Amino acid sequence: MFSYRHAFHAGNHADVLKHTVLIATLDHLLEKETPLTVVDTHAGAGLYRLDGDYAGTSGEAAEGVLRLVAGQKAAAAAPLADALARYLGVIGDFNPKGGAKIYPGSPFITHHLLREQDRLKLFELHPTDARTLDANIAQLEAGRQIAVLRDDGFGSATQFLPPPSRRALVLCDPSYEIKSDYARVLGFAGEALKRFATGTYAVWYPIIPRPEAHDLPRRLKTLATKAGKPWLHATLTVKSSKIVTDASGATHRPGLPASGMFLINPPYTLKPLLEAALPQMVERLAQDRHAAFSLDSGS
């Protein structure tokens, strides 16, 4: 259960979607002066090097954030949609000399945007990533603003709900390497809504040929609808999910072809931002003719 390391996948197309949504959501929530608490149930190591061994082994960033950065350097590059430009702007803040050698995970993106009065609660259970997260966060010298907890976010994150200010964003993005994660996400979301019905909840999930992956957004929609809460569902597909057989008869798995973000109580500003950004993600990150996006919402 401790095999997954996000360092291999940092900056890929799924991170582009997840972090574009995260930044746009935070930008809206931080417009109010009242303190905001952000809870990250699966924080990872927090900060990654895209020129290091892990990211270099997978090469996934080359088809994600690095492709976006390179595309913007082209002389004929069209202007980016506001949400996508904002995402690349935040990545650029961590790379003042240009490029994208450093990739901030959700903890560092969130801290970068938070104000002094806001709080960040980070959960990470993987022993190696938890130690790395501790060391990375220590460099920020953020004091009590950030709490790092080596615990199961599914089982423990709801202890911070509701926060004293009655304003919170909860990001839930497990690896889903364990099949039971899908059910645990749904259970966690249900418990969180019972404790704090007005919080904003953002769930990332992979879109893969597995029934649980396709059932999760439908079940989250049912959960939100029964609770009388608005919801938003965005997906990004960059390639086909089919296994390919080459001329020699060898089979090749395509890797992660698509991912989605499901939000309960999303900012009203998020949908129009994604309506402009998602088509550009498809255009710039497509790996074959199957690239596509979807965007749906309800209340």
Side-chain angles (χ1 to χ4, degrees):
M1 66 179 294
F2 289 134
S3 62
Y4 180 84
R5 303 291 302 282
H6 192 68
F8 289 102
H9 313 287
N12 67 1
H13 62 85
D15 268 359
V16 172
L17 173 64
K18 175 171 62 178
H19 293 147
T20 297
V21 171
L22 174 64
I23 291 166
T25 300
L26 281 169
D27 280 346
H28 177 83
L29 294 175
L30 293 172
E31 288 180 358
K32 287 187 178 181
E33 187 63 27
T34 309
L36 177 72
T37 295
V38 180
V39 180
D40 193 333
T41 64
H42 297 78
L47 199 63
Y48 308 94
R49 289 200 66 94
L50 297 185
D51 58 350
D53 292 341
Y54 293 118
T57 297
S58 70
E60 291 184 22
E63 301 295 344
V65 64
L66 295 179
R67 187 188 283 197
L68 289 179
V69 171
Q72 280 309 101
K73 294 180 180 179
L80 284 174
D82 288 346
L84 207 47
R86 174 71 167 134
Y87 162 73
L88 283 185
V90 171
I91 301 304
D93 290 342
F94 289 85
N95 296 275
K97 294 183 180 180
K101 289 185 178 181
I102 303 296
Y103 192 83
S106 302
F108 271 70
I109 287 175
T110 301
H111 174 261
H112 183 64
L113 300 180
L114 292 188
R115 307 154 302 179
E116 185 178 350
Q117 67 266 36
D118 303 316
R119 295 293 179 264
L120 177 57
K121 313 296 184 183
L122 304 174
F123 287 85
E124 180 52 53
L125 195 57
H126 190 291
T128 303
D129 280 353
R131 287 193 298 271
T132 305
L133 179 64
D134 266 328
N136 286 335
I137 294 298
Q139 296 179 48
L140 297 175
E141 298 182 349
R144 297 178 63 184
Q145 184 182 35
I146 305 178
V148 179
L149 302 101
R150 194 172 299 188
D151 206 347
D152 179 8
F154 283 135
S156 304
T158 54
Q159 68 183 282
F160 295 109
L161 302 176
S165 65
R166 309 290 299 187
R167 300 187 69 238
L169 166 63
V170 179
L171 174 64
C172 184
D173 61 336
S175 68
Y176 297 94
E177 280 202 327
I178 309 171
K179 187 174 166 181
S180 60
D181 277 357
Y182 295 94
R184 296 195 74 192
V185 166
L186 190 69
F188 172 81
E191 176 63 23
L193 272 175
K194 288 179 183 178
R195 285 175 173 259
F196 186 42
T198 57
T200 296
Y201 301 95
V203 174
W204 175 88
Y205 71 99
I207 300 177
I208 55 177
R210 172 177 274 185
E212 296 86 358
H214 293 275
D215 286 345
L216 181 59
R218 177 182 58 80
R219 297 177 73 182
L220 286 169
K221 177 181 175 180
T222 299
L223 177 67
T225 302
K226 286 184 176 180
K229 300 300 177 184
W231 55 270
L232 180 146
H233 182 213
T235 69
L236 173 65
T237 300
V238 299
K239 59 184 175 181
S240 171
S241 62
K242 291 184 179 180
I243 297 175
V244 177
T245 303
D246 63 22
S248 68
T251 58
H252 302 274
R253 295 186 179 276
L256 180 66
S259 66
M261 286 290 289
F262 193 99
L263 286 89
I264 300 174
N265 294 325
Y268 72 90
T269 52
L270 183 58
K271 188 174 183 179
L273 286 171
L274 292 180
E275 285 174 336
L278 284 168
Q280 287 192 341
M281 289 186 198
V282 171
E283 176 188 349
R284 299 184 182 219
L285 299 180
Q287 296 182 34
D288 63 28
R289 62 184 178 86
H290 297 280
F293 76 91
S294 68
L295 182 61
D296 195 13
S297 63
S299 59

